[in-house]
Amino acid sequence: MLSLYTYFSIPSFFKNNGPKTIDIPPVQIYNIETEKDRRARVVKHLLKLNHASHAILYHNLEYHNHLPHILGSAYLFGSNVICLEKIYDEEACQLEKWRDSPGEVSSHDWRDFLGDRRYQRAFVDFFEDELVNKDYDWRKMIDEYLFHAETPLINNVISGLAHPLIHLGYAFELNSKELAVEALSLAATCYNFLHKYIDDSAYSRPVSKMSKSPLEILERVHNDSRFDNVCDGPGSDKMETLFQQKESLILDYWNSWDITNPVQQFRDSQWAAAGLLSATVGCDDPSYDFFLVHALTGSHAVRIILPFIPAAYHLLLLRQWWLFTLAVYITQMRPVIAMNSITEYDIEGRDWTWVDLAAIQSKWSCDAHFVKALRALKEAAQTWGDEDTFYLKAAIKFADQFNHWFGFRS
């Protein structure tokens, strides 16, 4: 497996606090490069076409290209060729063609351009060249550029609303070298201030009030009036301002998650992520938060990636997701998380087959985040089991009620 991580160490106060590996089995990998099924061939060609034609960032470099996410999710849900091509056509019309970067990046200076979105094309070109140097073994390329540094790039995959993390998950699940190149390029171009909290172990410190439950901590954040009026309205663009004003308080909550049983607590985090999407909306309000859904799809990506990365990074990646989730929850005005709205939801005898059809045949089947959310909930159910039908209820409630996304900047 991946091995080049010799420069980085785990924060000291975690070292003697129980197991550090989240030992879960890998998901099924769909090798679209070699699959003979026509659907797989179509997805492969559409992903290559998107890779060649469309920028990974567009609309003043603010929006992310989600076409690989919805194509991958729809394919995994069983979408037919006609629907896959329709998804491509509808999503592609919103995207932008590639534009030249101000210059090239090289193996000697690529870190100098981290966070400069104008260099998106240059980073894609650079990582494509590196892929050739690695004999087209994209996992070797991921190994070197995500883990081999004093401040490894893996420590900032939550940048850009966690899209580098999400993109990387699809690269692994579909075994796609194009998606791997794009994921690294997103991690490089979206690089931001959040990396320091993972890079520098000084930010990981014991706090007086600990909890093993992420949901319990989120409830405390909801009730903490010290966050009142920090944000004048929702929107992820307020995240840096939030940290400037409330860094110490946020880090107290971040460090208060006492991870002593990593597998169980990762399971708890996925349960909480499902609640952040589906339990923050009442029966009379069909508006789902566009930014909170990224906590769920980001958690899904963590689940996909964990079995394929060095064990030394398992808890670091989970804590990175946790930092992102806390920040998004606060910027989105700390809504009530009413888990009973899921557990008491009447699914009227429906099952996952109904969810599959909702993902690929409903009027929202071309909405990338709608389809990705259903996919994340289904995979969580398959990972942990769903005897109490919690994830099924969360998925059906979401699909029943969804009418539009909200939560954008005011």
Side-chain angles (χ1 to χ4, degrees), residues 108-144:
H108 305 292
D109 64 6
W110 67 276
R111 294 191 70 93
D112 295 340
F113 300 96
L114 291 178
D116 192 335
R117 298 188 177 202
R118 299 174 303 158
Y119 283 82
Q120 59 167 325
R121 177 73 251 186
F123 271 110
V124 168
D125 290 341
F126 170 66
F127 288 122
E128 285 182 341
D129 291 344
E130 290 302 291
L131 185 63
V132 175
N133 294 335
K134 298 291 185 293
D135 298 321
Y136 291 95
D137 187 335
W138 65 265
R139 294 197 186 199
K140 286 184 179 178
M141 180 182 64
I142 289 286
D143 184 351
E144 178 170 344

Side-chain angles (χ1 to χ4, degrees), residues 97 113 234 268 282 387 407:
K97 300 295 183 183
F113 300 96
D268 293 344
E387 293 182 1

Side-chain angles (χ1 to χ4, degrees), residues 28 62 128:
Q28 180 178 350
E62 294 177 332
E128 285 182 341

Side-chain angles (χ1 to χ4, degrees), residues 84-306:
L84 291 170
E85 291 174 340
K86 177 185 176 184
I87 287 169
Y88 183 91
D89 290 341
E90 292 205 10
E91 190 74 16
C93 70
Q94 307 172 41
L95 302 175
E96 295 176 3
K97 300 295 183 183
W98 284 109
R99 298 178 183 176
D100 290 339
S101 296
E104 295 183 345
V105 302
S106 71
S107 59
H108 305 292
D109 64 6
W110 67 276
R111 294 191 70 93
D112 295 340
F113 300 96
L114 291 178
D116 192 335
R117 298 188 177 202
R118 299 174 303 158
Y119 283 82
Q120 59 167 325
R121 177 73 251 186
F123 271 110
V124 168
D125 290 341
F126 170 66
F127 288 122
E128 285 182 341
D129 291 344
E130 290 302 291
L131 185 63
V132 175
N133 294 335
K134 298 291 185 293
D135 298 321
Y136 291 95
D137 187 335
W138 65 265
R139 294 197 186 199
K140 286 184 179 178
M141 180 182 64
I142 289 286
D143 184 351
E144 178 170 344
Y145 285 96
L146 279 186
F147 301 98
H148 189 57
E150 184 176 354
T151 54
L153 205 55
I154 188 66
N155 287 348
N156 198 218
V157 289
I158 57 170
S159 63
L161 208 58
H163 284 103
L165 172 64
I166 295 166
H167 220 87
L168 186 62
Y170 284 98
F172 276 105
E173 198 164 12
L174 299 175
N175 195 22
S176 168
K177 59 181 180 294
E178 286 79 17
L179 297 191
V181 165
E182 292 168 10
L184 283 176
S185 301
L186 283 168
T189 53
C190 296
Y191 199 77
N192 67 12
F193 72 98
L194 290 172
H195 74 89
K196 68 181 181 181
Y197 300 113
I198 310 298
D199 287 341
D200 187 349
S201 62
Y203 288 106
S204 296
R205 56 181 186 253
V207 295
S208 59
K209 190 171 184 179
M210 305 287 284
S211 173
K212 292 179 170 37
S213 167
L215 187 61
E216 178 184 303
I217 298 170
L218 289 170
E219 289 173 349
R220 283 167 40 204
V221 171
H222 168 75
N223 293 319
D224 194 333
S225 61
R226 289 174 292 179
F227 288 115
D228 292 353
N229 303 316
V230 175
C231 300
D232 57 1
S236 66
D237 58 311
K238 299 176 173 64
M239 192 175 292
E240 191 162 2
T241 299
L242 171 66
F243 275 86
Q244 289 171 352
Q245 296 185 17
K246 296 293 182 180
E247 178 187 75
S248 179
L249 183 56
I250 296 169
L251 295 183
D252 281 350
Y253 279 113
W254 179 50
N255 287 309
S256 70
W257 191 19
D258 185 17
I259 304 176
T260 58
N261 185 341
V263 173
Q264 178 59 48
Q265 288 173 273
F266 177 49
R267 180 176 185 168
D268 293 344
S269 75
Q270 294 220 286
W271 190 71
L276 278 170
L277 174 69
S278 200
T280 52
V281 175
C283 295
D284 299 326
D285 184 359
S287 303
Y288 279 80
D289 193 292
F290 178 79
F291 297 99
L292 289 180
V293 72
H294 290 80
L296 173 62
T297 54
S299 176
H300 170 70
V302 173
R303 186 270 172 268
I304 301 300
I305 294 166
L306 280 173

